[in-house]
Amino acid sequence: MYDSKPSTHWIIEWQSPYSASMFGIKRILFSGRTKYQEVIVAELREYGISLILDGKIQSSERDEFIYHEMLVHPALVTHPNPERVLLIGGGEGATLREILKHNTVKEVVMVDIDEEVVDICKKYLESFHRGSFNDPRAKLIIGDGREFLKREEGGWDVIVLDVTDPIEEGPSKLLYTKEFYEIANSKLKEDGILVTQSTSLTQNMDTFATIFRTLGKVFPIVRATSAFVPAYTADWSFTIASKEHDPQVVRSEEAERRVNERGIGDLKYYDPSFHPYYFHLPKFVREYINKSDKIALDKAPAFIY
Ligand code: SAM
């Protein structure tokens, strides 16, 4: 399985000043800096083709399905009839791919700030997007997701936030704040649902709890689920904020019916029979959330290292 020599070139992803993950590189397909972020597309020895932005692995060929299925399906299956979906971020096109699996979806607008990243993903990450950018229901807009949301008329069933982690020098930090969630809430229909990647449940528990609590200041129902993503060497969290439908009360049989009725097809991680159980967080995480009182505001956003 292993040739004798360790890799000579590595991606090092820092989780804090005191811990990091290292990934052996087989070859670099692209490396450069766009107007917004540093971009690397590399074939990693154990994870295949991977997208790295500002030093953070966004997704890798080996396990991107875990992240993208768990970001999309718990939220969309909770909604009884998701037709209009707004996706902010999602440069690889894999989140778009999963949203389009629901045959209830009539329109997905994807807003990503970085046209160069999207073009790089279209070229090098075919196995991620699988042509989803060409689906007649999909519309790609290049721009800042928050500016777009402020200007447009709303009426969304679901808003999916698949932006980069909130880092100080990154372009996504103001998409995890109370003011942003208030804008999003106003653009959702009466029974609308928002879902956001909300960093690692344990590696960034403080940031996750802050995002969870911040959403709780704006939405009546907030639930989180998580899945271990090997390429992140962490369990990743996805937080759902809902105006009416509680994800945790969608029974397994109902989730299975919706998945079958919508012709969602191949799923490798999300399992509708498990749907209501995904939202049971570990006791120590629940206790941490209950003790946390931090709220992310524009003047004091939540960050990860
Ligand atoms: N799966 C990845 C993760 O968990 O971190 C994120 C997927 S995707 C690569 C993140 C996308 O967010 C990038 O394409 C980036 O250009 C986009 N993005 C960052 N800030 C944004 C903003 N303010 N508005 C719209 N898109 C943004």
Side-chain angles (χ1 to χ4, degrees):
M1 179 177 175
Y2 295 102
D3 56 36
S4 55
K5 303 179 297 309
S7 197
T8 52
H9 291 73
W10 299 86
I11 294 280
I12 299 178
E13 178 171 332
W14 293 95
Q15 277 95 32
S16 79
Y18 319 110
S19 68
S21 303
M22 287 176 64
F23 303 90
I25 297 173
K26 190 167 182 184
R27 63 188 171 113
I28 298 276
L29 287 82
F30 175 89
S31 172
R33 179 157 193 85
T34 72
K35 184 179 165 193
Y36 297 99
Q37 36 210 347
E38 183 205 36
V39 187
I40 296 173
V41 179
E43 181 180 359
L44 303 180
R45 286 189 179 270
E46 293 184 350
Y47 289 91
I49 305 289
S50 302
L51 174 69
I52 299 111
L53 295 180
D54 288 338
K56 299 276 183 191
I57 288 192
Q58 302 299 304
S59 45
S60 73
E61 212 167 7
R62 170 174 148 186
D63 57 25
E64 56 85 7
F65 67 92
I66 301 174
Y67 172 95
H68 294 109
E69 287 187 23
M70 288 306 286
L71 172 65
V72 169
H73 301 301
L76 262 72
V77 169
T78 294
H79 195 291
N81 185 32
E83 293 184 340
R84 295 194 73 233
V85 181
L86 172 64
L87 163 58
I88 296 180
E92 304 97 323
T95 302
L96 180 62
R97 175 195 80 212
E98 292 303 315
I99 292 168
L100 289 165
K101 284 181 179 174
H102 294 248
N103 61 22
T104 54
V105 170
K106 294 188 169 55
E107 179 192 14
V108 197
V109 172
M110 171 174 164
V111 183
D112 198 295
I113 199 167
D114 199 329
E115 185 164 28
E116 292 173 274
V117 163
V118 175
D119 288 344
I120 291 160
C121 293
K122 282 181 178 176
K123 179 175 178 189
Y124 294 104
L125 302 185
E126 170 73 34
S127 68
F128 290 50
H129 58 73
R130 294 177 216 159
S132 55
F133 290 108
N134 305 322
D135 188 299
R137 295 172 290 167
K139 181 179 176 197
L140 171 64
I141 293 174
I142 298 302
D144 175 84
R146 177 160 169 159
E147 286 311 309
F148 171 84
L149 207 50
K150 269 194 315 200
R151 284 195 322 270
E152 60 93 38
E153 77 282 356
W156 303 103
D157 294 309
V158 183
I159 295 176
V160 179
L161 299 170
D162 184 19
V163 290
T164 44
D165 294 329
I167 55 177
E168 275 196 88
E169 61 282 3
S172 63
K173 60 191 169 198
L174 293 182
L175 280 78
Y176 294 89
T177 68
K178 180 168 178 284
E179 294 89 338
F180 173 71
Y181 294 140
E182 284 164 345
I183 298 167
N185 185 310
S186 71
K187 302 298 173 109
L188 282 163
K189 284 182 185 164
E190 282 315 301
D191 67 341
I193 291 175
L194 175 147
V195 60
T196 183
Q197 75 97 347
S198 39
T199 75
S200 170
L201 203 58
T202 48
Q203 268 180 5
N204 317 111
M205 195 145 75
D206 192 50
T207 309
F208 159 69
T210 302
I211 293 169
F212 190 97
R213 300 285 281 191
T214 303
L215 282 164
K217 294 290 182 194
V218 180
F219 289 85
I221 300 165
V222 182
R223 301 282 185 196
T225 185
S226 71
F228 185 78
V229 181
Y232 296 169
T233 56
D235 51 350
W236 216 256
S237 71
F238 308 93
T239 302
I240 296 175
S242 182
K243 297 171 79 166
E244 180 183 323
H245 307 294
D246 184 342
Q248 202 163 4
V249 304
V250 176
R251 294 186 341 278
S252 302
E253 307 73 43
E254 180 56 20
E256 285 179 311
R257 191 184 64 76
R258 290 179 183 180
V259 165
N260 295 331
E261 256 188 14
R262 297 178 192 180
I264 292 177
D266 67 312
L267 292 167
K268 296 197 285 190
Y269 191 95
Y270 171 74
D271 178 345
S273 66
F274 207 71
H275 182 94
Y277 312 109
Y278 281 128
F279 307 99
H280 289 281
L281 295 173
K283 188 165 182 282
F284 78 101
V285 174
R286 296 201 307 272
E287 287 170 349
Y288 193 96
I289 292 172
N290 292 338
K291 278 196 317 244
S292 164
D293 58 1
K294 267 193 241 164
I295 300 298
L297 300 169
D298 284 358
K299 65 177 189 303
F303 290 126
I304 73 162
Y305 181 75

